[in-house]
């Protein structure tokens, strides 16, 4: 009856963690690997989420976190921002680019 379907689980998990918790691709991929989902299914699950949605979610999450750290020293603020975004599973290059743009404001 298709109750235990890895593909359906991977798709649902990726959609849910992205839309509810705003996880990045790295975190979703790592969590699915821990659940022994096949790498091809993981890639299909990540591909089903539109890249513009990932971009938009990253920007919203980054701006929100940056604003929440307003009373911090600049170096501490950058460190906390970076650690938070890495924990959420976003790509380091993307985080560095965002930090450069936020620091120049």
């Amino acid at each position: 009856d298709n109750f235990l379907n890895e593909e359906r689980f991977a798709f649902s998990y990726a959609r849910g963690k992205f839309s509810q918790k705003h996880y990045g691709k790295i975190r979703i991929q790592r969590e699915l690997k821990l659940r022994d989902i096949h790498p091809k299914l993981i890639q299909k699950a990540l591909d089903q989420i539109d890249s513009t949605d990932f971009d938009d979610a990253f920007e919203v999450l980054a701006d929100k976190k940056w604003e929440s750290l307003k009373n911090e020293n600049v170096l501490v603020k950058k460190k906390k921002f970076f650690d938070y975004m890495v924990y959420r599973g976003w790509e380091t290059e993307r985080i560095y680019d965002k930090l450069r743009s936020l620091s120049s404001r």
Side-chain angles (χ1 to χ4, degrees), residues 14-65:
R15 266 192 324 270
K17 293 301 180 181
F18 171 70
S19 64
Q20 298 296 316
K21 297 204 178 235
H22 305 291
Y23 285 175
K25 289 182 180 183
I26 295 171
R27 176 85 185 255
I28 293 170
Q29 186 176 25
R30 183 175 54 233
E31 295 287 334
L32 287 172
K33 278 183 185 178
L34 286 173
R35 288 163 174 77
D36 292 327
I37 303 298
H38 194 274
K40 287 183 181 180
L41 287 179
I42 294 172
Q43 191 57 47
K44 281 176 66 176
L46 290 174
D47 289 343
Q48 63 137 356
I49 301 172
D50 190 29
S51 63
T52 57
D53 291 342
F54 267 113
D55 295 340
D56 295 342
F58 175 80
E59 292 296 323
V60 169
L61 184 65
D63 290 338
K64 184 177 177 183
K65 183 61 179 176

Side-chain angles (χ1 to χ4, degrees), residues 65-101:
K65 183 61 179 176
W66 187 258
E67 291 302 317
S68 74
L69 298 170
K70 57 186 158 201
N71 295 330
E72 297 285 343
N73 176 347
V74 175
L75 293 177
V76 173
K77 187 176 186 177
K78 287 181 179 181
K79 171 89 170 97
K80 285 184 177 183
F81 176 82
F82 181 81
D83 290 345
Y84 177 81
M85 297 304 283
V86 167
Y87 171 76
R88 290 288 185 169
W90 296 98
E91 298 85 0
T92 55
E93 188 61 37
R94 178 180 268 187
I95 298 168
Y96 284 132
D97 290 341
K98 186 65 176 179
L99 265 175
R100 279 186 222 111
S101 71

